[in-house]
Amino acid sequence: MVEYVTQHPSGGYILDELHVGMAAEKIVHVTEDRIRLFAEASDDFNPVHLDEEFASKTAYRGRIAHGLLSAAFGSAVVGTILPGAGSIYISQTLAFHFPVRIGDSVRIVITVIELDQEGARAQLKCEGFVGDKLIMDGVAVVRVPRRRKPSAR
């Protein structure tokens, strides 16, 4: 059973608070600015992302967003909601099924599928949707804090 959660009041869940079936989601709108800023941050200036004239002559018949931009939306969920603050990516598999375009809203769903108490790790199913269409999926392994850092007060 899937149980959707929101951000923990502390900013992040610790390992003992996680259970298989916990899930979180976020919807992110893909804009011209996001694509341009991602190109700048990643140094990926492939014209299929930035040049409509070039992209219109490709199999995609127009510009598409960077695949890793959509994947980064998943990272936002992992780093801010589930598990949240303090979690660290160890690995990520990804498969891209359909392109994302300017104007699309990508819904990212992250679900806990396995917990490793000894290694302080969580396996997370990562899915991205535009409407009801699965545009990408994969599995992330993240390190999760075992306890919260004591307050500085």
Side-chain angles (χ1 to χ4, degrees):
M1 184 171 106
V2 175
E3 172 199 352
Y4 281 89
V5 298
T6 58
Q7 185 181 43
H8 191 279
S10 72
Y13 292 88
I14 61 172
L15 189 63
D16 288 343
E17 295 170 327
L18 297 178
H19 61 82
V20 170
M22 287 177 84
E25 70 178 2
K26 180 180 183 88
I27 297 173
V28 182
H29 191 66
V30 177
T31 64
E32 173 74 35
D33 283 345
R34 284 186 190 276
I35 291 172
R36 184 182 47 75
L37 289 168
F38 190 83
E40 290 286 338
S42 65
D43 211 28
D44 179 355
F45 297 99
N46 183 334
V48 76
H49 307 305
L50 303 167
D51 182 339
E52 185 60 42
E53 184 178 340
F54 175 90
S56 69
K57 297 173 186 159
T58 68
Y60 299 105
R61 302 287 183 239
R63 291 173 57 196
I64 61 172
H66 301 75
L68 290 179
L69 173 60
S70 296
F73 301 155
S75 177
V77 176
V78 169
T80 64
I81 305 172
L82 184 67
S87 59
I88 302 294
Y89 259 92
I90 304 297
S91 65
Q92 172 78 58
T93 63
L94 280 173
F96 298 100
H97 307 294
F98 293 98
V100 173
R101 299 183 186 277
I102 295 170
D104 284 346
S105 290
V106 178
R107 181 173 58 94
I108 298 295
V109 179
I110 303 295
T111 308
V112 177
I113 58 173
E114 188 175 311
L115 293 168
D116 171 6
Q117 294 291 331
E118 194 172 307
R121 285 167 171 60
Q123 277 194 25
L124 308 171
K125 178 170 66 170
C126 306
E127 298 171 298
F129 299 88
V130 171
D132 291 332
K133 187 182 285 191
L134 180 69
I135 55 107
M136 69 173 186
D137 62 352
V139 175
V141 176
V142 299
R143 188 172 195 308
V144 181
R146 291 182 190 276
R147 63 188 72 80
R148 287 188 186 80
K149 189 174 182 177
S151 174
R153 296 181 208 185

